[in-house]
Amino acid sequence: MQAAALEEPGQMVAEIRLQEGEDGFLHYSYSTTDTTGIIQWFLDYWGSNSCHS
């Protein structure tokens, strides 16, 4: 999971790659100006996976 600022002012991208099987993966990308939304996405991901660690 990662997030980065884009060249366009105020634009950010958040991405996640999930392992699928031995050799595959799913990749999701989300562009937004809502940094709070990106932070919430990270918190939701970590919260939903905390019981699996």
Side-chain angles (χ1 to χ4, degrees):
M1 185 169 223
Q2 65 183 7
L6 298 175
E7 288 184 24
E8 186 177 327
Q11 250 334 60
M12 294 192 70
V13 63
E15 298 179 325
I16 187 169
R17 185 174 286 189
L18 305 170
Q19 188 72 34
E20 185 170 89
E22 297 241 352
D23 299 320
F25 61 86
L26 299 172
H27 184 94
Y28 298 95
S29 180
Y30 175 64
S31 296
T32 184
T33 57
D34 180 13
T35 55
T36 303
I38 289 177
I39 292 168
Q40 190 60 56
W41 194 42
F42 274 75
L43 294 173
D44 290 347
Y45 173 78
W46 286 322
S48 68
N49 286 298
S50 64
C51 63
H52 303 290
S53 54

